[in-house]
Amino acid sequence: MKRTKRLQTVCGQLSPCDTLADVGCDHGYCTLYALERGLCRRAVISDISRSSLHKAEELLSSYIAEGRVESVCCAGLSQVPCNCDQVLIAGMGGEEIVKILEGSFLPQALVLQPMKNTEKVRAFLLEKGYCLVRDFLFYDGPKHYDLLRAERGAPPRAYGSLELEFGYDNIHAPLPDFDRFLRGEIENARGRLEKADASRAALQERLRRLEEALHAAFGTL
């Protein structure tokens, strides 16, 4: 099994459940992780790509034979049974994730790893009454990734503009990966400002927000 830091970190946010849906399952590694560790009794794997789904079916063939894994080729959650109590969506854009969730059932728990536009995912989940019990950034070279775990019925956490843009745990319980991310983004923004002309205002605002987040999270610039 492919054990990258990204896979381990994403799967580390899964909690024990009855039925897990792995949407956009790709090769099926996350579902295998959950089954091997007893994190779900059964699973549904879905992918819009028949070739990717076939690779996942091969990896999980013994579980499929046991009747513990169901495979569906579809877009998002469109053909995934609504009795799944935990849904994993990793590696898609934030707008795509929101579109999937807008047009489907909303489970008890979600583990989401957007590739961009994470603030739109946060806003959607909060609007739908979820609590973002984990909301942080991690590094698996050469990229940084956002990771969210959302639950219904958990104690809410207060989201202001910084938390919505950068993530609650990044502001209130920051890890070194977030410090690395902010300082890299600040350096990049300053470098672009030296060469910019018409876009200076937007870059200056981006730099101001990054420095504000750095000060809020680490108390330093």
Side-chain angles (χ1 to χ4, degrees):
M1 181 179 176
K2 201 173 184 178
R3 300 182 185 275
T4 64
K5 178 183 176 181
R6 180 183 170 208
L7 183 143
Q8 296 277 13
T9 306
V10 170
C11 291
Q13 291 306 309
L14 295 171
S15 65
C17 65
D18 184 75
T19 306
L20 169 70
D22 185 356
V23 177
C25 65
D26 195 31
H27 289 62
Y29 293 125
C30 291
T31 297
L32 181 60
Y33 181 105
L35 288 164
E36 286 181 337
R37 287 157 179 78
L39 294 174
C40 61
R41 183 179 64 84
R42 60 185 306 272
V44 178
I45 55 173
S46 75
D47 204 290
I48 197 170
S49 165
R50 169 53 68 183
S51 60
S52 290
L53 192 60
H54 180 65
K55 292 173 184 176
E57 290 168 343
E58 289 185 328
L59 181 71
L60 300 164
S61 59
S62 62
Y63 291 101
I64 292 173
E66 292 173 9
R68 294 184 61 193
V69 171
E70 177 184 353
S71 172
V72 289
C73 185
C74 68
L77 286 159
S78 60
Q79 296 180 42
V80 173
C82 61
N83 64 343
C84 296
D85 48 332
Q86 183 169 216
V87 171
L88 167 66
I89 309 177
M92 298 186 192
E95 291 181 340
E96 185 176 2
I97 290 174
V98 169
K99 184 177 179 181
I100 288 171
L101 296 176
E102 281 179 331
S104 70
F105 68 95
L106 293 174
Q108 175 65 28
L110 289 157
V111 175
L112 307 173
Q113 188 264 292
M115 299 299 289
K116 58 182 180 178
N117 296 318
T118 306
E119 68 282 358
K120 295 182 179 181
V121 181
R122 294 185 182 108
F124 173 83
L125 294 171
L126 293 170
E127 179 186 342
K128 294 301 180 181
Y130 281 96
C131 173
L132 277 61
V133 297
R134 292 303 313 278
D135 181 0
F136 65 99
L137 172 147
F138 68 95
Y139 179 74
D140 186 11
K143 295 182 180 180
H144 291 88
Y145 300 93
D146 289 314
L147 184 56
L148 313 174
R149 176 173 176 82
E151 297 178 2
R152 291 189 177 279
R157 302 199 291 183
Y159 269 70
S161 62
L162 277 180
E163 289 85 358
L164 197 62
E165 183 175 353
F166 294 101
Y168 188 96
D169 295 307
N170 292 326
I171 299 300
H172 297 281
L175 299 172
D177 285 355
F178 185 56
D179 182 69
R180 178 211 302 262
F181 167 77
L182 284 177
R183 293 185 186 279
E185 289 292 296
I186 287 170
E187 181 179 353
N188 179 264
R190 287 173 176 166
R192 291 172 62 196
L193 264 175
E194 292 178 1
K195 304 174 184 177
D197 41 44
S199 62
R200 286 187 64 84
L203 282 171
Q204 286 171 337
E205 175 59 16
R206 172 63 174 165
L207 179 59
R208 185 188 71 79
R209 292 292 286 173
L210 288 164
E211 291 178 339
E212 184 179 357
L214 184 66
H215 180 70
F218 300 97
T220 181
L221 295 179

